[in-house]
Amino acid sequence: MTEQELQQYLLSKYPKENEECEWKEFKNMKNDFNGKEKDDVISYVSALSNMEGGHLVIGVVDKTLEIDTQGYGIHKMFVSQKERYLPMPDYDKSTATEVVLTLPGTVIDENYSLLLLENKNLSLTDAVLLDSVQKGKRISSEAVAMLRKRKLIEGRLPHIFIAKDIAQVTDQKIEYSKHKGLDDKKCEALLLDSLKDHGTLTKPEIVHLLWDVLPDQLDDKQKNNKLDYLLKRLRKAGIIWTERNEVTSVWHLTEKG
């Protein structure tokens, strides 16, 4: 498709700007990814998604729909995505006859994000990233470092979760506690208290005792490894000892324990 053909197509398809269609010239997009509600491209796209859909035509000259051949703004779009910790634009869907620029974004939980923005001094970027975290979606290592530095998340990759203050603001206190689980000292205390109460515990009983208080973001293998390490550490410290019956291991407190 030639430049003229593309211009004619756009004029026939999107003859004027209205509530369902907006034209954006690359060089005028300097401040269009500013994170300000109702004042940037993201807000416009979000509004379209809440209606019956619409179109955002990028790379054309306002009023005339002439094709912007100077490449104004392309570099800024890449920089903008990077600064907002979103994936880089790509041309993977381009063909031999047309160039398709994909600008990745994300769908956010509106109520969750509004609650964050109302209760915390957070930007739209912060809200988008925290929304992804609370949904269990992966974010970039740079985004993780930024959120961790600002004490907005806790945990270690890949098991990160929103920080306590954010959880309290967004009514996710129970989810936070389950994500965090009991720390090693509390797991140890629970195990030792149970051994004091009952004298002995089999390995399956220990697993049953501690399984649900471990961080819920750990998979089964990681939980088993964590329990094995706890038992090994306490045995090495001379606090507990084990014997084996015909079926499984049985654990006891030592005199030191």
Side-chain angles (χ1 to χ4, degrees):
M1 180 182 291
T2 65
E3 179 182 332
Q4 185 176 7
E5 290 171 336
L6 177 58
Q7 183 181 10
Q8 290 302 315
Y9 170 80
L10 292 175
L11 284 170
S12 64
K13 190 78 173 178
Y14 317 108
K16 62 180 180 179
E17 290 186 289
N18 51 40
E19 292 181 353
E20 298 180 357
C21 180
E22 183 163 340
W23 305 337
K24 285 291 183 182
E25 191 172 354
F26 273 137
K27 69 179 182 179
N28 291 335
M29 295 187 72
K30 179 178 180 181
N31 298 311
D32 285 337
F33 291 95
N34 52 36
K36 297 179 180 178
E37 188 176 358
K38 299 180 181 180
D39 191 34
D40 71 341
V41 169
I42 302 301
S43 295
Y44 177 74
V45 173
S46 297
L48 290 180
S49 68
N50 290 325
M51 301 190 308
E52 295 183 357
H55 301 88
L56 176 64
V57 183
I58 300 176
V60 295
V61 178
D62 288 344
K63 310 304 180 186
T64 65
L65 274 188
E66 293 178 16
I67 309 303
D68 179 4
T69 59
Q70 303 301 312
Y72 291 116
I74 293 180
H75 173 71
K76 291 176 181 176
M77 290 175 68
F78 275 78
V79 172
S80 175
Q81 288 290 96
K82 180 177 182 297
E83 289 177 346
R84 291 162 54 237
Y85 303 97
L86 293 177
M88 290 295 102
D90 65 63
Y91 297 89
D92 293 346
K93 295 182 180 179
S94 299
T95 68
T97 58
E98 61 181 359
V99 176
V100 179
L101 170 65
T102 301
L103 186 64
T106 185
V107 177
I108 65 174
D109 183 322
E110 182 179 2
N111 292 330
Y112 176 85
S113 297
L114 287 176
L115 193 58
L116 284 178
L117 295 173
E118 288 174 0
N119 289 274
K120 285 285 180 179
N121 184 26
L122 301 174
S123 68
L124 180 60
T125 296
D126 297 330
V128 169
L129 290 173
L130 290 171
D131 183 64
S132 295
V133 170
Q134 64 100 14
K135 289 177 179 175
K137 296 182 178 180
R138 287 186 175 274
I139 59 176
S140 70
S141 57
E142 293 84 1
V144 169
M146 183 274 289
L147 293 176
R148 193 187 306 282
K149 183 177 181 181
R150 298 182 58 194
K151 298 182 179 180
L152 297 176
I153 59 172
E154 298 178 23
R156 296 180 180 178
L157 284 172
H159 307 296
I160 58 173
F161 49 93
I162 59 175
K164 180 172 65 176
D165 289 347
I166 301 297
Q168 292 172 344
V169 167
T170 56
D171 196 26
Q172 291 184 308
K173 292 180 283 188
I174 304 304
E175 289 81 356
Y176 168 83
S177 295
K178 288 183 176 180
H179 289 331
K180 184 178 181 180
L182 295 184
D183 60 30
D184 290 347
K185 287 293 184 183
K186 291 178 181 177
C187 285
E188 177 184 323
L190 179 58
L191 172 59
L192 297 180
D193 283 345
S194 186
L195 283 171
K196 288 176 183 177
D197 288 338
H198 306 296
T200 64
L201 289 174
T202 64
K203 177 65 180 296
E205 287 172 334
I206 293 173
V207 170
H208 185 65
L209 172 69
L210 298 177
W211 193 264
D212 289 338
V213 299
L214 294 175
D216 68 358
Q217 292 189 320
L218 300 180
D219 59 31
D220 289 356
K221 182 179 179 181
Q222 291 169 324
K223 285 189 175 184
N224 278 314
N225 288 341
K226 193 173 184 67
L227 291 177
D228 286 343
Y229 175 76
L230 174 63
L231 293 173
K232 181 180 178 180
R233 180 170 58 79
L234 291 176
R235 183 176 59 182
K236 188 175 181 180
I239 299 173
I240 60 176
W241 65 278
T242 182
E243 61 180 343
R244 188 165 187 85
N245 61 23
E246 296 178 357
V247 179
T248 185
S249 58
V250 182
W251 293 84
H252 309 253
L253 283 173
T254 65
E255 292 184 3
K256 182 178 178 180

